[in-house]
């Protein structure tokens, strides 16, 4: 934690100064400098020298770690200009941690300088969720900005720039990107906002699919992402702020990163100056005076890699554009909070049992000429590539009398996709599906058994669910009926270990009414993919709508 501390002079009572008429002219001159304030017939030595008997005032500033070094340097300038009558302490702290402290009422400070105004919205929202009043925060405008850029290893720059560098390439998957966790990084969250602004307003799955892909590998920090980008198996960029790239390059001059500026525009972090608590009296004057020191020293910010409030300003740092990039759009705090909610849904760590219909009807042709099972294989392999390594997955297949008298067969137990051997085993099962076809659809017995299996190894730290893909309706006359299934699922749901069932009906023969009733009874959802090309996007829906089930619009 970075700190700047000036030792306080011994505190003394303020001595009223009697001013003679002869000295009045001299006093007026001193007053005009702002060093003394004429109050009630006396000089208030707020900013007088310690030798003249001032009482030292304390000022506590909490600044995001990306801006704290500059603030610390300017705090020294500020304190010296007050001749020892002010002691400014600067605490370097991640904005996410500060926002949490403010929301909980546990921060004792005068000023907060986060890296984005979105933290005000998040602190207020967190306070509300805790049943607390909204904290007193007054933004006095931004003191610097930093655009969101793509950071790339110098060795990969030429390949990455072989075509225009755009957000559209990230959306389409042709430019691989790393995104540090937006729960903790305002730069990442702002990057998601920029990404969404370039996605199709008519197809929300495009943005959801991009977030799922970004969530597959989430670096522990921006520094970790910067360190790993040169070792990726294909050209990769890190979505970051220009300021963070500048900081990295200033410390790693021998191997700097290159900042690529999206030609389709971007957004910028705004570094607001926020007064905490009530603004009145001496404290308000100190807060205003310190703000003035920050605003009147632009060179200190430029040398550290910050741009001016309007995005302009030349930077002389390796790897960065000297001239300003394309003007960045403003940040929408409410939109970012909503994106963060979506991100949280899409990247929830899950335990999922995938249950695949291998009844004989899966061999029938879909309307694109391929068999239904072929279409499912393609969609399943595509979906597998989007899952994070922290997801746990197992695979069953089902059809009547698949395993003796049972309608289901356990082929891969639930395990982490981070295990390469486990992932390869699942891929092998998916590849073998055409050879497993046969029998009728034993849907109800299989659904109950799958929910019971997930319950046996329930992990309260994860989302535990069952994903069932079928092209038909229950055809097992020797198994349980729908009412019995629903009654059994209701009993399980009462035990406070929810296992939502997500059902995807593929093709024209599915019993959507039964599927919807099953899904609703477990807090899950039912989807229909009428055409082969729908299956991939429905799988995205099944992942992206976890927070609204069973009433997703």
């Amino acid at each position: 934690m970075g700190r700047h501390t000036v030792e306080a002079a011994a505190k003394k009572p303020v001595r009223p100064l009697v001013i003679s008429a002869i000295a009045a002219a001299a006093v007026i001159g001193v007053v005009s400098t702002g060093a003394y304030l004429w109050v009630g017939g006396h000089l208030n030595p707020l900013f007088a020298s310690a030798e003249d008997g001032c009482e030292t005032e304390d000022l506590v500033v909490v600044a995001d770690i990306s801006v704290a070094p500059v603030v610390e340097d300017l705090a020294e300038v500020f304190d010296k200009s007050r001749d020892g009558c002010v002691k400014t302490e600067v605490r370097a702290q991640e904005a996410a941690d500060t926002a949490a402290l403010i929301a909980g009422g546990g921060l004792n400070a005068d000023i907060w300088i986060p890296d984005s105004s979105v933290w005000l919205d998040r602190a207020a929202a967190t306070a509300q969720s805790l049943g607390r009043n909204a904290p007193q925060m007054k933004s006095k405008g931004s003191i610097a900005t930093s655009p969101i850029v793509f950071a790339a290893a110098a060795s990969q720059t030429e390949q990455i720039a072989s075509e225009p560098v755009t957000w559209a390439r990230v959306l389409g998957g042709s430019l691989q990107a790393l995104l540090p966790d937006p729960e903790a990084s305002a730069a990442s969250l702002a990057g998601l906002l920029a990404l969404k602004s370039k996605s199709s307003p008519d197809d929300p799955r495009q943005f959801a699919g991009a977030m799922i892909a970004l969530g597959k590998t989430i670096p522990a920090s921006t520094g970790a992402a910067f360190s790993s980008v040169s070792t990726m198996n294909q050209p990769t960029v890190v979505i970051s702020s220009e300021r963070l790239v500048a900081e990295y390059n200033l410390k790693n001059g021998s191997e700097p990163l290159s900042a690529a500026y999206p030609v389709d525009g971007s957004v910028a972090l705004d570094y607001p100056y926020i007064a905490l608590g009530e603004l009145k009296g001496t404290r308000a004057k100190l807060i205003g005076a310190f703000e003035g020191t920050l605003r009147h020293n632009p060179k200190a910010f430029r040398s550290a890699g910050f741009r001016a409030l309007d995005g302009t300003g030349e930077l002389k740092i390796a790897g960065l554009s000297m001239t300003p990039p394309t003007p960045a759009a403003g940040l929408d705090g409410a939109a970012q909070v909503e994106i963060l909610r979506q991100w949280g849904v899409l990247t929830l760590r899950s335990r999922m049992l995938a249950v695949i219909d291998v009844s004989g009807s899966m061999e029938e042709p879909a309307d694109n000429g391929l068999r239904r099972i072929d279409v499912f294989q393609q969609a399943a392999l595509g979906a597998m590539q989007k899952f994070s390594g922290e997801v746990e997955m197992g695979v069953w297949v089902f059809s009547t009398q698949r395993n003796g008298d049972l309608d289901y067969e356990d082929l891969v137990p639930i395990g982490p996709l981070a295990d390469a051997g486990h992932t390869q085993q699942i891929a092998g099962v998916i590849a073998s599906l055409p050879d497993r076809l046969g029998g009728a659809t034993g849907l109800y017995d299989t659904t109950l058994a799958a929910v019971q299996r997930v319950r046996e190894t329930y992990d309260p730290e994860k989302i535990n669910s069952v994903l069932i893909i079928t092209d038909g309706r229950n055809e097992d006359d020797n198994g349980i009926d729908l009412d019995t299934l629903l009654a059994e699922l209701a009993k399980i749901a009462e035990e406070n270990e929810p296992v939502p069932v997500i059902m995807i009906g593929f093709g024209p023969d599915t019993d959507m009414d039964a599927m919807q009733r099953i899904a609703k009874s477990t807090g899950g959802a039912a989807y229909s993919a009428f055409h082969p090309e729908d299956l991939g996007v429905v799988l995205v829906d099944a992942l992206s709508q976890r927070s609204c089930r069973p009433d997703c619009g």
Side-chain angles (χ1 to χ4, degrees), residues 448 451-452 455 487-497:
L448 180 57
V451 172
Q452 291 171 335
R455 283 287 309 282
E488 291 298 320
L489 292 176
K491 291 178 184 177
I492 293 174
E494 292 175 356
E495 296 177 15
N496 296 321
E497 291 184 346

Side-chain angles (χ1 to χ4, degrees), residues 142-215:
S142 302
I143 58 170
T145 64
S146 185
I148 302 303
V149 300
F150 298 147
S155 59
Q156 298 178 352
T157 302
E158 188 174 340
Q159 286 177 279
I160 290 170
S162 60
E163 57 182 291
V165 179
T166 63
W167 292 104
R169 285 177 61 187
V170 177
L171 277 169
S174 64
L175 178 58
Q176 182 168 291
L178 293 177
L179 185 78
D181 190 358
E183 288 277 2
S185 168
S188 294
L189 184 53
L192 287 178
L193 181 67
L195 190 66
K196 184 173 185 178
S197 72
K198 305 303 176 185
S199 65
S200 170
D202 301 321
D203 183 11
R205 297 183 185 93
Q206 184 185 47
F207 179 56
M211 284 204 289
I212 292 171
L214 289 168

Side-chain angles (χ1 to χ4, degrees), residues 288-329:
F290 187 67
E291 177 189 357
T293 297
L294 298 183
R295 295 193 184 281
H296 293 142
N297 287 276
K299 288 184 179 179
F301 287 94
R302 275 340 137 257
S303 63
F306 291 95
R307 302 283 182 176
L309 301 187
D310 59 359
T312 61
E314 291 188 352
L315 303 183
K316 298 178 181 179
I317 299 174
L320 306 185
S321 170
M322 179 179 291
T323 57
T326 303

Side-chain angles (χ1 to χ4, degrees), residues 208-477:
M211 284 204 289
I212 292 171
L214 289 168
K216 183 178 179 181
T217 302
I218 304 175
S221 65
T222 301
F226 286 165
S227 299
S228 65
V229 70
S230 61
T231 65
M232 303 297 289
N233 57 8
Q234 68 182 81
T236 303
V237 298
V238 179
I239 297 174
S240 178
S241 70
E242 187 183 46
R243 156 59 192 163
L244 293 178
V245 180
E247 181 181 41
Y248 182 88
N249 289 353
L250 289 170
K251 294 178 179 178
N252 300 273
S254 60
E255 297 181 5
L257 297 172
S258 294
Y261 299 83
V263 298
D264 49 351
S266 189
V267 295
L269 300 183
D270 58 341
Y271 288 88
Y273 184 91
I274 301 166
L276 301 172
E278 294 185 14
L279 282 176
K280 59 183 181 180
T282 299
R283 183 174 177 276
K285 293 170 185 174
L286 272 176
I287 290 172
F290 187 67
E291 177 189 357
T293 297
L294 298 183
R295 295 193 184 281
H296 293 142
N297 287 276
K299 288 184 179 179
F301 287 94
R302 275 340 137 257
S303 63
F306 291 95
R307 302 283 182 176
L309 301 187
D310 59 359
T312 61
E314 291 188 352
L315 303 183
K316 298 178 181 179
I317 299 174
L320 306 185
S321 170
M322 179 179 291
T323 57
T326 303
L331 295 175
D332 183 331
Q336 288 182 88
V337 171
E338 173 57 24
I339 287 173
L340 192 62
R341 186 198 66 79
Q342 290 179 262
W343 172 266
V345 170
L346 290 169
T347 58
L348 283 171
R349 299 317 181 208
S350 303
R351 294 182 69 254
M352 179 181 291
L353 178 58
V355 184
I356 305 165
D357 187 346
V358 289
S359 60
S361 58
M362 287 290 282
E363 197 163 9
E364 294 181 8
D367 63 4
N368 64 354
L370 295 174
R371 294 176 302 174
R372 293 176 182 174
I373 194 64
D374 298 327
V375 174
F376 171 73
Q377 276 183 303
Q378 293 176 3
L381 290 172
M384 279 283 293
Q385 294 173 0
K386 295 181 182 295
F387 283 112
S388 161
E390 294 189 35
V391 169
E392 296 179 6
M393 180 177 287
V395 179
W396 284 11
V397 294
F398 74 101
S399 64
T400 51
Q401 298 182 327
R402 167 61 41 183
N403 182 18
D405 292 334
L406 301 178
D407 291 342
Y408 47 89
E409 183 177 0
D410 183 347
L411 298 180
V412 184
I414 297 175
L417 295 181
D419 182 338
H422 185 77
T423 302
Q424 187 175 4
Q425 188 179 5
I426 292 176
V429 167
I430 293 173
S432 73
L433 290 176
D435 299 327
R436 299 177 182 276
L437 300 182
T441 305
L443 182 61
Y444 298 161
D445 280 1
T446 300
T447 299
L448 180 57
V451 172
Q452 291 171 335
R453 176 64 60 84
V454 173
R455 283 287 309 282
E456 290 172 4
T457 54
Y458 194 88
D459 185 347
E461 300 299 319
K462 295 181 180 287
I463 300 298
N464 300 260
S465 63
V466 172
L467 173 65
I468 297 179
I469 299 99
T470 180
D471 74 335
R473 60 188 63 236
N474 186 67
E475 297 172 327
D476 184 1
D477 295 333

